């Protein structure tokens, strides 16, 4: 539930908060977490949705013709037989329809309640806005404990200096290579070290392309799955797990992370400015895909520079339990070295980050190094 709490706390800091929060899960620890945020007054109407969990199992055991209409053909997929994704944990067609119906009924109830408020309170707009503003961007103390991750502030925030019961979150920025991407593409922070390739992402890349630069690509399983999906018209999938992949001959990847707050004391010259004054931490995540035991290890097979200063091994830590895939943690946190410096681009300033592969036997076949998300936390100055 700690990963969900981090998500909730970030969502509560977004414009027009609190958000409409829908959780497709019925696991008790996560339900309890949402309930606590409701009880504290920070979430007003979160929804936990579980299609099959709402169905009386005895009804599914009836003869097909005796089942309620919405439960008939319950075990049939909407896609043709043999299409990708037909795993037992995925909802089938009628379960999707049931969840849509449940949300529609919930929204109708909400609309009726809203109409009652509007009829009874002529100043409803101002009162609702005032209620949302009354929290002043503050958060409660966290419910879960992520102290062992080494990334408390970026995940859950920090307590107020004058009241430990009130917490706040620093501004967090993110760039990703995953598609679709409306804002915040990973390419926007790349300085150098990438091989440009205009070929279709579903076409296999030659090994020679990786000599002299990291390459935007997709993993073997992802490519095979997307090719299969295309045979069935796409099946509505618009996502793709693209990532930057590198091997030792790809060289150093250089990134530049802009400071995206309005600084009270903007940087004019970066020569003597300590980077940690403006940046609190950097998190880098690899692509979430199934690979072998010989794959690149972000913790041990890569060297990092932040602010043109090498990050010591002790300053590179694995984020435990909050970002994982198939029980493998996929994100690392980088300390900001005390001597790290900023750099400028015109009137903007930011933090240089460099990544170099140090293990000589990293290969594409066994699992190249990959980067799919870069997240950084600002300090308010």
């Amino acid at each position: 539930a700690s990963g969900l709490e981090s998500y909730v706390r970030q969502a509560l800091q977004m414009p027009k908060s609190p958000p409409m929060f829908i959780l497709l899960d019925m696991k008790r620890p996560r339900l309890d977490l949402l309930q606590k945020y409701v009880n504290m007054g920070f979430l007003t109407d979160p929804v936990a949705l579980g299609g099959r969990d709402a169905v009386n199992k005895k009804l599914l055991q009836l003869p097909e013709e005796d089942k309620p209409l919405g439960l008939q053909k319950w075990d049939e997929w909407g896609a043709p037989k043999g299409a990708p994704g037909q795993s037992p944990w995925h909802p089938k067609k009628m379960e999707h329809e049931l969840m849509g119906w449940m949300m529609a009924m919930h929204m109708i109830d909400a609309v009726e309640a809203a109409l009652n408020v509007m009829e009874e309170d002529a100043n409803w707009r101002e009162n609702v806005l005032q209620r949302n503003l009354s929290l002043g961007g503050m958060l409660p103390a966290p419910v879960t404990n992520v102290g062992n991750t080494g990334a408390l502030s970026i995940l859950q925030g920090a307590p107020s200096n004058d009241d430990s019961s009130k917490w706040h979150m620093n501004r967090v920025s993110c760039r990703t290579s995953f598609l679709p991407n409306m804002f915040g593409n990973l390419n926007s922070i790349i300085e150098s070290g990438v091989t440009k390739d205009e070929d279709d992402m579903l076409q296999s890349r030659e090994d020679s392309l990786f000599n002299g630069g990291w390459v935007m690509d997709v993993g073997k399983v992802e490519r095979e799955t997307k090719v299969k999906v295309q045979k069935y018209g796409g099946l509505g999938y618009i996502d793709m797990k693209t990532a930057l992949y590198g091997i030792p001959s790809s060289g150093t990847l250089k990134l530049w992370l802009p400071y995206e707050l309005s600084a009270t004391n903007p940087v004019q010259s970066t020569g003597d400015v300590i980077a940690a004054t403006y940046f609190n931490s950097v998190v880098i995540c690899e692509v979430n895909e199934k690979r072998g035991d010989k794959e690149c290890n972000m913790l041990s097979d890569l060297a990092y520079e932040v602010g043109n200063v090498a990050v010591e091994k002790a300053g590179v830590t694995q984020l435990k339990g909050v970002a994982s895939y198939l029980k493998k943690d996929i994100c690392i946190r980088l300390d900001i070295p005390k001597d790290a410096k900023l750099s400028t681009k015109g009137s903007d300033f930011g933090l240089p980050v460099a990544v170099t592969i140090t293990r000589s036997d990293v290969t594409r076949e066994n699992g190249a190094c990959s980067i799919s998300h870069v997240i950084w936390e600002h300090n308010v100055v």
Side-chain angles (χ1 to χ4, degrees), residues 145-215:
N145 181 12
V146 296
N148 62 338
T149 66
L152 175 63
S153 62
I154 198 171
L155 293 173
Q156 294 186 338
S160 170
N161 290 332
D162 54 359
D163 187 347
S164 61
S165 68
K166 295 181 179 179
W167 285 52
H168 69 277
M169 299 206 60
N170 291 331
R171 164 71 182 272
V172 174
S173 295
C174 175
R175 299 294 188 272
T176 180
S177 58
F178 279 16
L179 301 176
N181 191 311
M182 304 302 293
F183 172 79
N185 195 295
L186 187 64
N187 287 326
S188 67
I189 59 170
I190 295 174
E191 288 280 275
S192 64
V194 170
T195 299
K196 299 294 183 182
D197 181 33
E198 304 299 331
D199 285 346
D200 182 349
M201 196 59 67
L202 295 183
Q203 299 297 317
S204 297
R205 269 58 174 165
E206 297 292 334
D207 287 342
S208 59
L209 193 64
F210 290 77
N211 295 327
W214 292 58
V215 178

Side-chain angles (χ1 to χ4, degrees), residues 80-284:
K81 186 177 181 180
Q86 296 181 353
S87 303
W89 55 85
H90 288 164
K92 296 181 175 68
K93 179 183 177 182
M94 296 310 296
E95 186 175 353
H96 278 293
E97 286 197 10
L98 175 62
M99 289 191 290
W101 181 85
M102 292 165 67
M103 278 305 305
M105 294 301 102
H106 178 82
M107 294 305 295
I108 288 175
D109 287 342
V111 169
E112 290 179 344
L115 286 172
N116 290 335
V117 171
M118 294 168 70
E119 290 174 353
E120 296 172 2
D121 184 359
N123 298 317
W124 66 268
R125 194 183 303 272
E126 291 78 9
N127 291 336
V128 169
L129 179 62
Q130 187 60 41
R131 182 198 68 192
N132 292 344
L133 292 175
S134 64
L135 297 175
M138 300 305 294
L139 294 169
V143 174
T144 59
N145 181 12
V146 296
N148 62 338
T149 66
L152 175 63
S153 62
I154 198 171
L155 293 173
Q156 294 186 338
S160 170
N161 290 332
D162 54 359
D163 187 347
S164 61
S165 68
K166 295 181 179 179
W167 285 52
H168 69 277
M169 299 206 60
N170 291 331
R171 164 71 182 272
V172 174
S173 295
C174 175
R175 299 294 188 272
T176 180
S177 58
F178 279 16
L179 301 176
N181 191 311
M182 304 302 293
F183 172 79
N185 195 295
L186 187 64
N187 287 326
S188 67
I189 59 170
I190 295 174
E191 288 280 275
S192 64
V194 170
T195 299
K196 299 294 183 182
D197 181 33
E198 304 299 331
D199 285 346
D200 182 349
M201 196 59 67
L202 295 183
Q203 299 297 317
S204 297
R205 269 58 174 165
E206 297 292 334
D207 287 342
S208 59
L209 193 64
F210 290 77
N211 295 327
W214 292 58
V215 178
M216 192 67 73
D217 198 7
V218 294
K220 180 177 181 292
V221 174
E222 178 79 354
R223 177 176 286 113
E224 291 174 349
T225 301
K226 293 302 180 186
V227 170
K228 290 179 182 177
V229 164
Q230 285 190 337
K231 295 178 181 178
Y232 298 93
L235 299 178
Y237 290 100
I238 60 174
D239 64 303
M240 185 176 292
K241 294 189 290 189
T242 55
L244 281 175
Y245 289 84
I247 56 177
S249 60
S250 300
T252 297
L253 174 67
K254 293 187 177 181
L255 310 172
W256 191 79
L257 316 183
Y259 184 78
E260 297 187 321
L261 289 178
S262 297
T264 305
N265 299 307
V267 173
Q268 304 298 331
S269 172
T270 59
D272 298 321
V273 178
I274 298 174
T277 303
Y278 291 86
F279 292 84
N280 192 50
S281 63
V282 175
V283 171
I284 299 178

Side-chain angles (χ1 to χ4, degrees), residues 300-311:
S300 60
D301 300 340
L302 294 170
Y304 303 92
E305 286 187 6
V306 173
N308 297 318
V309 176
V311 181

